[in-house]
Amino acid sequence: MNQAREVVEKLKALYNTSCDIARAGDFERYGEVRYPKLTVDVLEWRPIDRSKTFGYVDEAGTYSAVLSRPDLLEDYLTAQLEALTSNYPCSMRVEYSDIVIPPAYIKGTPPIDETRNLPRPALDDVHDAIVDGHWDAFHGPEKPLFHFGPQRFDLAIARLEHYTGIDVDTLQRYILFTNYAMHVTEFVRFGLRELSDPDSRYTRLVLPSGETVSDTVALEDLELGSKFQMPRYDLITENGDGITMINIGVGPSNAKTITDSLAVLRPEAWIMIGHCAGLDARMRIGDLILGNAYERHDHVLDDYLRRELPIPAVPEVQRTLEKAVTKVYGDDASLMRTGTVLSTGDRNWEWKDPQDLWEWLRGSTAAAVDMESCTIAANGYRYRVPYGTLLAVSDLPLHAVPKLPAGAQAFYSNSKEAHVMCAVRAMEKLARRPERLRTRKLRRTIGEVPFR
């Protein structure tokens, strides 16, 4: 066993020991129920391969992270430590931190007598100071190693389970977002076909009901609906590089909520597939828009990323999506265009007074309008998670083709399978060579941590 894996095993052992004390109800010892801490001393700085996108530091010194659920991040942590210690001479140590784990974050803890003075989840400790590059987070005696503190991590995990309905243990590293149940149905249909193929890389499908499908079953026999706000469907591979689809519902607030939480698990990529309003009279219903720029009128991230900050496209995702569209649809170049996506928090934006609408769009480079793509991209940029957007034009409101029920249903029926399969094929290709997603475009000039 190499040194990095030994360190991760020790992190897991310390965390599990803490949880065992809590689950045993030994509240007299609850002060021992603490998060593990990983410290890496970079003993000497030296130049490294400049193409590296993680595992580097700007100076020698002490880097540390207090971690929760190291079992969920086992492969990720091992890879990050291997990269860092291969680039610089380092010493590593694992010990308990002085931060006690609130019982609410440990499943299986018995009911607690309210008179006991045990820690509760503290929102003061739930923040993104590291991710957002706050001065104090980077100018203490120890610099941050990882992007998140332990209670920020734990609350995100709890939120994921609350909104999606199932444990995070089966969540895959490649994530598709939609806001249509029909996309979910097509994704599940694809999953069932794969599970009936003995040569498929997929081993099982987990539904938001908690049901696990691992062999041939009829789609009609499955309960695909869910009482949860953002139902999740995990199409699983043995090493976790399968595909998860989440129906996030409508609007930028939902898009921010889910990506804020998913980011702690360090997914490899996330892609939005949805519908949009086309703004060009040459467009037709069903055309595809591959977002290569983002005009943010969604507002939910304005306090975290200034509106004027450019959100770059991720070429590695763009090229893969473009090739997937060609594979699924053929070589009809008129079907797809790249362009700016404008996201708004106002679903009825097209109801503006015509002069106000003119002024709003005058000078805009937007090819399409939706409600979620800019939030997905901006939070991907913020959390260093590669992102992409593939939208289908469902209406042309500036050209007398608003979205009306009959036309919309006909469009949905004709487009849903191909649209989903473009994104699925793109994710499968990215999963074959994940190193292509290690892009320097998501790394900051200042306020960066050694880990991806």
Side-chain angles (χ1 to χ4, degrees):
M1 185 181 296
N2 64 29
Q3 186 183 14
R5 193 159 292 280
E6 287 177 359
V7 164
V8 175
E9 288 298 323
K10 188 170 182 182
L11 285 167
K12 290 164 54 182
L14 292 187
Y15 181 80
N16 289 338
T17 297
S18 286
C19 292
D20 288 344
I21 295 171
R23 292 177 183 133
D26 192 354
F27 298 124
E28 300 301 326
R29 296 178 58 199
Y30 207 88
E32 301 173 37
V33 179
R34 291 174 286 156
Y35 293 107
K37 179 180 179 180
L38 168 62
T39 303
V40 178
D41 291 309
V42 178
L43 305 175
E44 175 190 345
W45 185 89
R46 60 192 181 195
I48 65 168
D49 180 352
R50 291 184 297 168
S51 67
K52 298 291 187 183
T53 55
F54 58 86
Y56 67 84
V57 296
D58 292 330
E59 59 183 350
T62 300
Y63 296 79
S64 66
V66 178
L67 298 165
S68 182
R69 293 298 305 273
D71 58 304
L72 291 177
L73 296 173
E74 181 173 358
D75 291 341
Y76 166 84
L77 291 172
T78 301
Q80 304 310 301
L81 289 173
E82 287 175 344
L84 186 59
T85 55
S86 66
N87 287 331
Y88 309 98
C90 298
S91 65
M92 296 187 286
R93 62 184 181 275
V94 174
E95 60 197 336
Y96 278 116
S97 72
D98 58 0
I99 304 175
V100 178
I101 308 174
Y105 291 140
I106 301 177
K107 291 182 179 179
T109 302
I112 297 168
D113 184 347
E114 293 296 325
T115 62
R116 292 185 177 275
N117 186 26
L118 296 180
R120 296 187 178 186
L123 291 181
D124 289 346
D125 297 322
V126 177
H127 54 74
D128 279 332
I130 299 172
V131 160
D132 292 327
H134 291 187
W135 174 271
D136 290 345
F138 287 84
H139 291 84
E142 298 179 0
K143 297 179 177 62
L145 191 62
F146 183 55
H147 308 78
F148 305 98
Q151 289 211 44
R152 167 68 169 85
F153 190 98
D154 278 341
L155 184 56
I157 296 303
R159 286 274 172 90
L160 283 172
E161 294 180 354
H162 169 74
Y163 283 111
T164 68
I166 47 179
D167 290 346
V168 298
D169 303 63
T170 58
L171 195 141
Q172 302 295 284
R173 294 197 295 271
Y174 295 84
I175 299 170
L176 296 178
F177 299 118
T178 182
N179 41 32
Y180 286 94
M182 63 182 178
H183 287 159
V184 167
T185 300
E186 294 306 319
F187 180 70
V188 171
R189 197 189 308 276
F190 162 75
L192 295 178
R193 288 199 303 270
E194 287 293 311
L195 293 176
S196 67
D197 179 358
D199 296 324
S200 174
R201 72 191 193 103
Y202 301 105
T203 59
R204 54 199 172 108
L205 173 68
V206 179
L207 305 178
S209 63
E211 181 181 0
T212 297
V213 180
S214 57
D215 53 15
T216 304
V217 64
L219 178 70
E220 295 74 19
D221 293 335
L222 298 178
E223 177 54 60
L224 300 186
S226 174
K227 64 181 180 180
F228 297 98
Q229 187 174 341
M230 300 185 196
R232 191 181 98 223
Y233 305 78
D234 297 335
L235 187 55
I236 295 170
T237 64
E238 291 291 351
N239 62 1
D241 66 350
I243 304 173
T244 283
M245 177 175 275
I246 305 177
N247 184 347
I248 65 174
V250 175
S253 179
N254 281 5
K256 179 180 183 299
T257 296
I258 195 67
T259 49
D260 281 348
S261 296
L262 286 167
V264 303
L265 292 170
R266 312 313 297 145
E268 295 284 2
W270 56 46
I271 292 174
M272 179 71 199
I273 57 171
H275 295 155
C276 65
L279 299 183
D280 189 328
R282 293 167 293 181
M283 291 179 178
R284 298 292 180 265
I285 302 300
D287 284 359
L288 297 176
I289 305 293
L290 178 58
N292 70 347
Y294 299 91
E295 188 174 338
R296 294 166 50 210
H297 293 260
D298 45 356
H299 301 303
V300 295
L301 287 169
D302 288 359
D303 291 339
Y304 305 91
L305 292 171
R306 298 192 306 275
R307 282 271 302 277
E308 66 270 20
L309 284 176
I311 305 299
V314 181
E316 295 79 4
V317 176
Q318 299 292 101
R319 289 192 293 266
T320 306
L321 278 169
E322 193 166 2
K323 290 175 181 177
V325 170
T326 301
K327 184 173 182 178
V328 172
Y329 281 88
D331 294 324
D332 183 2
S334 67
L335 174 72
M336 188 187 74
R337 63 180 287 180
T338 58
T340 300
V341 177
L342 185 159
S343 289
T344 174
D346 180 5
R347 174 58 191 87
N348 296 323
W349 61 271
E350 66 266 47
W351 297 3
K352 292 177 183 283
D353 175 273
Q355 183 173 349
D356 291 342
L357 194 59
W358 178 281
E359 293 298 328
W360 186 53
L361 293 175
R362 181 167 59 89
S364 172
T365 61
V369 177
D370 83 338
M371 298 188 70
E372 299 85 20
S373 292
C374 288
T375 310
I376 297 293
N379 241 6
Y381 174 75
R382 180 173 167 235
Y383 289 122
R384 292 76 156 170
V385 176
Y387 48 85
T389 296
L390 185 66
L391 304 176
V393 174
S394 61
D395 54 311
L396 299 158
L398 302 187
H399 309 290
V401 189
K403 185 179 287 187
L404 297 174
Q409 292 305 317
F411 158 65
Y412 296 160
S413 177
N414 293 331
S415 70
K416 57 188 179 182
E417 180 181 6
H419 193 180
V420 169
M421 290 311 302
C422 288
V424 166
R425 296 308 182 198
M427 286 302 205
E428 290 182 325
K429 189 168 185 178
L430 290 170
R432 287 196 290 270
R433 287 182 56 199
E435 65 276 5
R436 289 182 297 181
L437 288 165
R438 310 287 190 251
T439 173
R440 288 175 288 175
K441 295 173 182 65
L442 301 185
R443 303 290 287 190
R444 307 296 188 273
T445 303
I446 58 175
E448 196 54 84
V449 302
F451 284 4
R452 175 179 67 80

